[in-house]
Amino acid sequence: MTPYTRQLVAAEVDDLAIGSALLGTGGGGDPHVGALMAHEAIERHGPVTVIPASDLESDALVAIVSMSGAPTVMTEKIPNGGEIERVLTRVAEAAGRRPDAVISVEIGGMNSVIPVVAAARTGLPLVDADGMGRAFPEFQMTAFNVAGVRFGPRFVTDEKGNMLRIDGIDAGWIERINRRALIAMGGSVITALGLSGDDVKRGAIHGTISLAVQIGAALRQARRDGNPWLDRLLEVVSAIPLFTGKVTSVDRRTEGGFARGYAVVAGLGTEADQSIRIDFQNEHLIARRLERDEPAEILITTPDLIAVLDSETGTPITTEMLHYGQRVTVVGIPSQPVWRTPRGLELAGPRYFGFDVDYVPVEVRAAAVRQSRA
Amino acid sequence: MNLRLGIDVGGTNTDAVVLDERSHLLARFKAPTSADVSGGIRQALRGLVAGHPELDLGSIRYAMLGTTHCTNAILERRNLDRVGLIRVGAPATLAIKPFVGWPADLRATIGGHYAIVEGGHEYDGREIRPLDERAVREAAESFRGEVDSVAVVSVFSPVDASHEQRAGAIVRDVLGDLPITYSDQIGSIGLLERENASILNAAVTTPARVAANGFASALEEHGIDARMFFSQNDGTLMALDYATRYPILTVASGPANSIRGAAFLSGLRHAIIVDVGGTSTDVGILVNGFPRESAIAVEIGGVRTNFRMPDLISIAMGGGTRIHQNEELRIGPDSVGYRITEDARVFGGSTLTLSDVAVAAGRASMGDPDRVEGLDAKLVHDVTQWVRETCEETIDRMKTSAEPVPVVLVGGGSVVIPAELAGASEILRPDHYDVANAIGAAIAQCSGEIERIFSLEEYSRAEALEMARQMARAEAVKAGADPATVEIVDVHEVPLAYLPGNATRIRVRAAGALAVEAAS
């Protein structure tokens, strides 16, 4: 749908949180704490104005505001509340002007609601867009980067008041330095970085705040009305149901600073003799059928979105919440076109994550499966 | 003789059983629950004695109580303590104040007093700030005369609880000997949920003492000199002093007891448990002899917590569920509940219930079967089909593999369930199925659980796991277990996402048989 200017009210915050958890493909953290902050901010300061990127002047200053670090730390060491203003002030100083708007770096998970808090507190509009169209674990995996945006300084602060400025030569370096710094600062930081209106118009994924709200609303309304949630979901996003079953094992380990591992889902009903395996690195990356316990036929890979949802309600389940016995439905969503370009696949395709397979769009794979069964 | 007395005071019924040392059932009693816990216990004891005059009450050495007393206090907003909360963690945590999301009436009943002070720890154990002892002292002063108990919550206390301990000591110094809840002993990572759970724990201090005193005096009146235990929400026991410090853990002990009771009666360690009451059926699953836990956030009284609760699916289907025959057949969700013995057709009433259909189908005998003899055969068939399909669907959702699994039926209403269900390898309704709750209370083990974040730069993974196991064993012994019987029941490890440096969250549960005193 075409984004348009409107108000985001408190009642939509929970929809945004749930919808963004679905787009978070298992990662992005649990948006609950961010949602509480957003509720409080909107109650105190009033609704947030959401604007399409087309409303921005080319030389507007748009601030990406995000939380970076371990979502588990953020659910325990909740922010002070002054972090957002601090980093936005530094962005403004560096640019010599006040920001005109804020934007989300990734619509998946907590980083959809953090910009809402920023927008409410500052009175700035929130752009109906984000940098990824989903969640990815590393900062260089943004559509801005694919579009060749040159990044200015990134400001990083913690609840104690520490402030770090990173002038990185490229997005990959910003990610590396930021990752080390945030550990020293306690595992959870708030960051901001300035973009131009032009950068946002040509580089962002558009309409994703609205999309996330719609997804959350669809799931909520389905539950309220007693409708099948998948039907309601399909009305707002091209979701392809891939598999339904129960989680029968979860293997998680730490490697290189991420939660890597896989989950096995065993089929139900007519698919009771089948199972699939989903590999993840914070976010879900690839789902394959198991044949004699070995991964075989590929159902879907990154950069397409793999959402693992509670079978009863469609509620998204994050990687950290995955456990033995959960009844889940695995749904695939075609990725944004930018991730299917050569540069996009270089940054976030299966090979970057260590899977030596070619990317095939999920809708093509699903059609082939249907064909072979017809 | 060392006898065990198990009593479960539920919402509708109170069950009581007496078991010998080999866990043979010697006596049983079941009756509708009376107004209060002590009344229910007294009635149960009188009933046991009346039904089993040969029973030697003096030989009862262990008395276990499962009760919804604390749950009811929270749900009804009655008899709760006023709580003062001290949150340690400034400058962090200020973005979300305590009591956010609480129902207004519950917050008002508890008083809503709090203070946020500097201190707390990072995920790896470094201090965020030194504890602001002066601010703690001021907070305690401000609580004087306004609170009955105090809860102390510090950021990352599951990693390092020293600030909570020190703050508690200061509170004691200022306010004297009032009950203090330490959050690291109540819940796991997740500040708001753990804070909420700690506040609720502090709030039910008095109801827990009332239940404990009621229990003790009822036992004393009947000449029973026994060690007392409370059932907790994972199906195990807490010694009395543990239970009065962590009363919030008794919430949801009913379903846990029925699952464990079913396990015992059936002899199975892996099974689906279907507990059919008057109005609703709870379906749970037994894994390794214990109820499988739910992973999602649990709400108590409208407040979000991170408690361990049995993973249950509750459906509106019970012995008293009403059958409506309008244009379409509709079964429930309404039910006559405990009024079944007046309202159901077989008992002379005019309401058609699932029990009536079960009698008509020959699956149950109660009341006067002639009163349902004329029931339409198609109706009986359709209703039975609905019950069957509802059960099969729920069982399928609970199972963790495609394999058929044993199903154990317990609860007074279980006679409405048909004899065959798809997905069930066998269906058992063991003897004494209707007092499974009290049996679950009586045969329970004592458990302890810990959850901590370990920095794997400080310890090797093997060391961290061993430390966690030792801590869990110690918790089980503190809860009353015999050290020689303690086993590790569950180990769960989650590396923290997005954090290089291998910080990992380890949860370990240990359980053991009740420490039995040497026979005198």
Side-chain angles (χ1 to χ4, degrees):
Chain A
M1 61 164 289
T2 320
Y4 61 98
T5 300
R6 59 191 195 74
Q7 302 285 292
L8 183 81
V9 298
E12 292 174 286
V13 166
D14 293 327
D15 288 343
L16 175 61
I18 295 293
S20 66
L22 188 148
L23 295 171
T25 69
D30 178 351
H32 180 67
V33 168
L36 283 179
M37 290 170 64
H39 272 294
E40 195 260 350
I42 291 179
E43 266 164 37
R44 187 158 346 155
H45 302 281
V48 165
T49 303
V50 178
I51 61 167
S54 52
D55 275 12
L56 295 166
E57 301 292 336
S58 290
D59 62 350
L61 177 63
V62 182
I64 302 178
V65 182
S66 68
M67 172 260 168
S68 192
T72 325
V73 172
M74 195 188 186
T75 65
E76 177 67 22
K77 196 178 68 164
I78 292 165
N80 160 272
E83 297 90 339
I84 289 175
E85 270 90 344
R86 267 204 298 282
V87 288
L88 283 177
T89 301
R90 295 299 298 270
V91 165
E93 277 170 14
R97 57 180 289 181
R98 303 173 56 77
D100 300 294
V102 296
I103 190 172
S104 161
V105 70
E106 63 181 348
I107 194 67
M110 228 182 278
N111 278 324
S112 65
V113 277
I114 294 295
V116 172
V117 178
R121 292 235 190 99
T122 57
L124 293 172
L126 172 66
V127 183
D128 192 353
D130 80 302
M132 294 180 187
R134 49 167 292 164
F136 276 128
E138 298 174 24
F139 179 70
Q140 71 280 9
M141 300 169 179
T142 63
F144 302 126
N145 199 27
V146 175
V149 165
R150 297 233 42 212
F151 294 104
R154 189 185 207 190
F155 294 95
V156 182
T157 192
D158 62 13
E159 79 288 351
K160 297 173 277 290
N162 291 309
M163 177 68 72
L164 172 70
R165 170 178 170 145
I166 304 175
D167 289 277
I169 56 175
D170 63 29
W173 274 105
I174 293 175
E175 161 65 27
R176 263 174 232 121
I177 296 167
N178 184 66
R179 190 70 47 189
R180 289 291 176 274
L182 70 88
I183 296 159
M185 291 161 102
S188 174
V189 293
I190 299 285
T191 82
L193 178 153
L195 298 175
S196 71
D198 196 52
D199 291 335
V200 171
K201 283 194 245 204
R202 67 188 180 92
I205 315 276
H206 297 286
T208 47
I209 296 282
S210 297
L211 175 64
V213 171
Q214 284 175 326
I215 291 173
L219 293 177
R220 173 176 50 81
Q221 285 156 9
R223 189 154 62 235
R224 180 195 65 197
D225 301 339
N227 299 142
W229 57 266
L230 184 59
D231 293 350
R232 299 299 295 260
L233 184 64
L234 287 170
E235 289 167 17
V236 299
V237 70
S238 325
I240 301 169
L242 296 172
F243 199 76
T244 296
K246 278 158 309 205
V247 177
T248 54
S249 84
V250 183
D251 182 330
R252 262 184 292 248
R253 59 206 184 278
T254 317
E255 260 177 38
F258 299 99
R260 286 182 190 265
Y262 62 88
V264 175
V265 182
L268 279 175
T270 49
E271 290 180 307
D273 56 339
Q274 300 175 38
S275 57
I276 69 166
R277 168 174 150 160
I278 305 171
D279 289 68
F280 50 79
Q281 173 188 328
N282 298 344
E283 282 80 26
H284 299 305
L285 300 174
I286 184 172
R288 295 169 283 187
R289 286 197 194 280
L290 288 177
E291 259 150 53
R292 282 185 289 275
D293 292 341
E294 286 303 310
E297 181 195 357
I298 299 175
L299 295 176
I300 183 173
T301 73
T302 180
D304 290 327
L305 287 72
I306 306 171
V308 176
L309 311 174
D310 173 74
S311 293
E312 287 304 302
T313 59
T315 305
I317 301 174
T318 60
T319 303
E320 290 200 340
M321 293 289 291
L322 266 185
H323 77 290
Y324 177 76
Q326 279 168 328
R327 304 167 287 272
V328 301
T329 297
V330 182
V331 160
I333 299 174
S335 79
Q336 298 290 337
V338 63
W339 296 115
R340 296 173 168 190
T341 62
R343 177 69 176 140
L345 288 171
E346 190 188 332
L347 288 171
R351 288 208 165 79
Y352 177 85
F353 291 102
F355 299 100
D356 188 20
V357 299
D358 292 330
Y359 169 70
V360 173
V362 61
E363 63 272 26
V364 171
R365 288 192 191 276
V369 167
R370 277 198 303 277
Q371 280 264 334
S372 72
R373 293 203 173 155
Chain B
M1 285 253 275
N2 290 318
L3 303 186
R4 299 170 76 144
L5 166 69
I7 302 181
D8 187 277
V9 181
T12 311
N13 286 315
T14 295
D15 312 338
V17 298
V18 176
L19 308 181
D20 69 12
E21 291 114 336
R22 279 193 284 273
S23 296
H24 293 138
L25 183 72
L26 298 182
R28 48 165 287 162
F29 178 76
K30 186 181 185 76
T33 292
S34 74
D36 65 288
V37 176
S38 346
I41 298 171
R42 285 190 177 85
Q43 184 183 23
L45 291 173
R46 277 196 303 272
L48 279 175
V49 168
H52 301 270
E54 77 289 359
L55 189 62
D56 174 19
L57 293 180
S59 298
I60 294 176
R61 290 276 166 273
Y62 310 98
M64 291 71 161
L65 179 67
T67 173
T68 55
H69 201 64
C70 292
T71 319
N72 293 343
I74 294 170
L75 294 179
E76 295 167 26
R77 322 316 197 200
R78 278 191 328 126
N79 303 323
L80 294 170
D81 291 315
R82 296 166 305 166
V83 177
L85 167 74
I86 297 181
R87 183 200 276 179
V88 180
T93 81
L94 296 174
I96 302 179
K97 301 293 193 295
F99 295 105
V100 161
W102 279 57
D105 61 341
L106 185 55
R107 178 184 179 155
T109 309
I110 294 180
H113 299 281
Y114 72 86
I116 306 178
V117 308
E118 285 186 3
H121 291 80
E122 307 277 11
Y123 73 93
D124 61 1
R126 287 176 285 158
E127 277 185 349
I128 296 172
R129 288 271 171 86
L131 175 65
D132 186 346
E133 301 200 358
R134 186 157 64 133
V136 173
R137 200 165 284 277
E138 280 167 14
E141 286 291 350
S142 76
F143 293 161
R144 193 187 290 280
E146 306 281 339
V147 309
D148 308 303
S149 62
V150 166
V152 183
V153 183
S154 178
V155 174
F156 276 115
S157 60
V159 174
D160 187 322
S162 56
H163 286 192
E164 282 186 4
Q165 294 295 318
R166 180 69 199 127
I170 294 171
V171 168
R172 264 252 143 80
D173 198 42
V174 173
L175 294 177
D177 200 19
L178 87 175
I180 300 181
T181 296
Y182 296 95
S183 85
D184 90 298
Q185 292 167 358
I186 295 295
S188 55
I189 297 294
L191 184 77
L192 298 176
E193 289 85 0
R194 188 170 80 253
E195 184 176 81
N196 288 343
S198 302
I199 296 170
L200 287 176
N201 189 71
V204 293
T205 303
T206 295
R209 286 193 182 165
V210 165
N213 291 338
F215 192 25
S217 57
L219 292 177
E220 198 186 305
E221 275 165 28
H222 280 84
I224 299 173
D225 176 25
R227 276 178 67 192
M228 292 183 291
F229 295 90
F230 276 74
S231 299
Q232 56 180 325
N233 54 19
D234 64 352
T236 62
L237 298 171
M238 296 188 280
L240 190 64
D241 63 316
Y242 209 79
T244 44
R245 272 184 297 144
Y246 313 120
I248 199 66
L249 298 180
T250 64
V251 170
S253 62
N257 279 342
S258 83
I259 295 175
R260 284 272 297 160
F264 174 78
L265 290 171
S266 63
L268 300 170
R269 287 177 65 80
H270 302 275
I272 302 279
I273 312 299
V274 178
D275 181 359
V276 187
T279 301
S280 63
T281 293
D282 289 331
V283 179
I285 180 165
L286 193 67
V287 176
N288 278 340
F290 286 95
R292 184 177 77 200
E293 286 177 8
S294 167
I296 57 174
V298 170
E299 277 205 358
I300 302 178
V303 174
R304 188 181 163 107
T305 69
N306 54 11
F307 276 129
R308 313 188 291 274
M309 293 280 194
D311 193 6
L312 288 177
I313 299 177
S314 294
I315 48 184
M317 179 181 78
T321 299
R322 299 180 60 165
I323 299 170
H324 302 271
Q325 301 169 264
N326 302 319
E327 296 111 36
E328 273 180 31
L329 180 64
R330 175 171 70 81
I331 301 169
D334 50 331
S335 159
V336 298
Y338 65 88
R339 288 190 322 273
I340 189 169
T341 46
E342 294 151 30
D343 293 356
R345 294 247 189 114
V346 289
F347 292 111
S350 55
T351 308
L352 188 62
T353 66
L354 286 181
S355 292
D356 295 308
V357 169
V359 171
R363 270 200 308 281
S365 58
M366 62 177 90
D368 179 4
D370 290 342
R371 292 183 184 275
V372 292
E373 204 187 306
L375 268 187
D376 178 35
K378 179 170 189 316
L379 172 69
V380 172
H381 172 270
D382 288 349
V383 169
T384 303
Q385 191 59 14
W386 179 89
V387 172
R388 174 178 291 114
E389 283 170 2
T390 303
C391 286
E392 287 173 348
E393 191 186 87
T394 311
I395 287 168
D396 198 39
R397 282 159 56 190
M398 268 298 192
K399 286 164 62 189
T400 55
S401 78
E403 305 293 309
V405 69
V407 172
V408 183
L409 301 179
V410 292
S414 56
V415 291
V416 309
I417 312 290
E420 270 162 24
L421 295 170
S425 58
E426 54 177 332
I427 301 179
L428 296 107
R429 189 183 298 118
D431 288 342
H432 311 299
Y433 65 90
D434 55 337
V435 289
N437 283 21
I439 290 177
I443 53 96
Q445 294 188 309
C446 301
S447 76
E449 182 177 297
I450 63 103
E451 183 170 341
R452 292 285 187 274
I453 295 184
F454 292 88
S455 164
L456 293 182
E457 277 166 0
E458 217 187 312
Y459 308 103
S460 73
R461 189 167 162 271
E463 280 169 346
L465 281 169
E466 186 48 33
M467 278 177 65
R469 281 193 286 260
Q470 299 288 30
M471 288 160 80
R473 282 194 193 97
E475 288 295 303
V477 170
K478 256 194 341 212
D482 175 356
T485 65
V486 174
E487 287 177 354
I488 302 297
V489 171
D490 189 38
V491 179
H492 189 70
E493 202 183 333
V494 180
L496 294 191
Y498 295 100
L499 273 185
N502 292 332
T504 186
R505 183 161 101 214
I506 300 179
R507 184 175 84 203
V508 180
R509 182 144 65 112
L514 181 57
V516 172
E517 288 154 357
S520 52

